[in-house]
Amino acid sequence: MSETNETSIADAETSAQSAYAVRDVSRLFELPESRLRYWAQTGFICPSIRVRGRTFYSFRDLIAIKVARELLGAGMPLQRVRRSLDSLRIKLPEVDQPLARLRVRCEHERVVVEEHTHSFEAATGQVLLDLNVQTLHQEVAQVLAMPRLQGPAPERSAYEWFLYACDREAAWAGDDPDDPAFTEAREAYDRALDLDPEFAAAYTNLGALLAAVGDLDGARDHFDQALSCDPGQHEAQANLAALALRSGDPETAIAGYRQLLRAMPDSLEGHYGLARALLAVGGKGQALAHLERFIAGVDGLAVAQQAGSLRERRQHATRVVAALRRELGTG
């Protein structure tokens, strides 16, 4: 067994290798970072190490996340998972064996932790789970060995990281996730959220970045988190509606855009998106009205505000309006 796997709990948690950032934990367990932050904010599973204002996960925390993911994935109710984890947290500090010698499994509605000499029940559960902690140690080592961007200096504030991310995003061509500008923008948004987990605009921008490269589930999680932090984050609401339309769910998109327009009656994004969603379900008359509102709104902007994409959408809307008027006999 390697020296790393023979490290005791106390020794492991005093070493630099025992502190894991949310980005590393997300990659290790293939969980959205927004879900890990949500778990932390609700007290379900919180990072237990704090260094110079930043929080990190210990290896014990990783065990809890691994167990929670498996139990929730197997359909165990959240409250029962929470009880199991509470007992697991109490018992693990009492274990004298090195972490790598432990196994965590479920048997006859019991979450059991096994050592060399004895076993103990963590809490009630009813799923098939067999977690080899040595294997988890090896997986962690592999993830941490992956190359990752070092990024700018860590002394920046959350807002400074956010501005840096916006700058790198603006330098990205918008289609290649391997472009260094994309990687740097994503890393910087993550740093901003590490420092300020309530930074709604960072969730929104990072969600849009993920949507641009096709990670719709990750994008949706980030937009939801933005609205959880700030219900007035209208851009996140618009992006959620756009995701629904992109995913072939126009009814959900319609509901989302209507909610956006109730809060912002003059939203160009709202009128244009709602018109597209209405056309997808055959609501031509209502779509015509919203496209006309969109065109009038664009025409009311100063020329400098009519960016290229906005002009293109106005031209498209004008053609659709003309066709709808002919079809409906209104123009």
Side-chain angles (χ1 to χ4, degrees), residues 152-172:
E155 65 272 7
R156 296 182 180 183
S157 68
Y159 185 64
E160 288 170 333
W161 278 114
F162 176 77
L163 293 179
Y164 178 79
C166 293
D167 179 70
R168 300 314 301 143
E169 184 177 356
W172 180 48

Side-chain angles (χ1 to χ4, degrees), residues 55-98:
T55 56
F56 299 88
Y57 292 90
S58 69
F59 192 75
R60 278 199 201 94
D61 299 332
L62 300 193
I63 295 175
I65 293 171
K66 176 74 171 178
V67 171
R69 190 189 69 166
E70 297 296 332
L71 297 183
L72 291 171
M76 180 184 286
L78 179 62
Q79 290 305 316
R80 291 174 65 183
V81 176
R82 187 185 294 273
R83 288 196 298 269
S84 296
L85 294 182
D86 287 343
S87 295
L88 196 59
R89 292 188 189 99
I90 292 171
K91 287 293 184 180
L92 278 180
E94 301 174 3
V95 177
D96 293 328
Q97 298 290 340

Side-chain angles (χ1 to χ4, degrees), residues 160-222:
E160 288 170 333
W161 278 114
F162 176 77
L163 293 179
Y164 178 79
C166 293
D167 179 70
R168 300 314 301 143
E169 184 177 356
W172 180 48
D175 54 5
D176 182 8
D178 294 325
D179 187 326
F182 173 87
T183 307
E184 291 164 5
R186 178 171 181 172
E187 176 78 13
Y189 283 130
D190 283 335
R191 293 290 189 93
L193 290 169
D194 283 342
L195 293 171
D196 183 1
E198 300 293 322
F199 202 150
Y203 282 116
T204 297
N205 285 18
L206 182 51
L209 203 64
L210 296 176
V213 295
D215 183 1
L216 302 191
D217 289 338
R220 191 175 293 105
D221 282 341
H222 281 77

Side-chain angles (χ1 to χ4, degrees), residues 207-208 210-212 214-224 236-249 252-253 257:
L210 296 176
D215 183 1
L216 302 191
D217 289 338
R220 191 175 293 105
D221 282 341
H222 281 77
F223 296 145
D224 284 338
Q237 181 65 56
N239 288 342
L240 277 173
L243 276 185
L245 188 57
R246 180 175 172 180
S247 302
D249 186 2
T252 298
Y257 282 123

Side-chain angles (χ1 to χ4, degrees), residues 37-38 194 259:
R37 292 190 177 94
Y38 176 75
D194 283 342
Q259 183 176 344

Side-chain angles (χ1 to χ4, degrees), residues 175-321:
D175 54 5
D176 182 8
D178 294 325
D179 187 326
F182 173 87
T183 307
E184 291 164 5
R186 178 171 181 172
E187 176 78 13
Y189 283 130
D190 283 335
R191 293 290 189 93
L193 290 169
D194 283 342
L195 293 171
D196 183 1
E198 300 293 322
F199 202 150
Y203 282 116
T204 297
N205 285 18
L206 182 51
L209 203 64
L210 296 176
V213 295
D215 183 1
L216 302 191
D217 289 338
R220 191 175 293 105
D221 282 341
H222 281 77
F223 296 145
D224 284 338
Q225 191 64 38
L227 289 172
S228 175
C229 296
D230 178 12
Q233 182 67 215
H234 301 306
E235 185 177 351
Q237 181 65 56
N239 288 342
L240 277 173
L243 276 185
L245 188 57
R246 180 175 172 180
S247 302
D249 186 2
E251 289 82 5
T252 298
I254 288 170
Y257 282 123
R258 289 196 189 282
Q259 183 176 344
L260 173 65
L261 288 171
R262 282 193 291 272
M264 300 181 66
D266 296 324
S267 168
L268 297 179
E269 188 72 25
H271 287 294
Y272 186 80
L274 181 53
R276 292 179 59 217
L278 288 166
L279 286 173
V281 298
K284 297 179 180 179
Q286 294 182 58
L288 174 60
H290 285 286
L291 285 174
E292 289 174 337
R293 286 284 300 274
F294 170 76
I295 292 171
V298 174
D299 291 344
L301 297 175
V303 175
Q305 295 178 287
Q306 298 179 18
S309 60
L310 196 57
R311 285 195 298 270
E312 291 175 4
R313 285 194 291 173
R314 189 211 180 282
Q315 293 169 357
H316 174 71
T318 300
R319 292 192 295 269
V320 175
V321 163

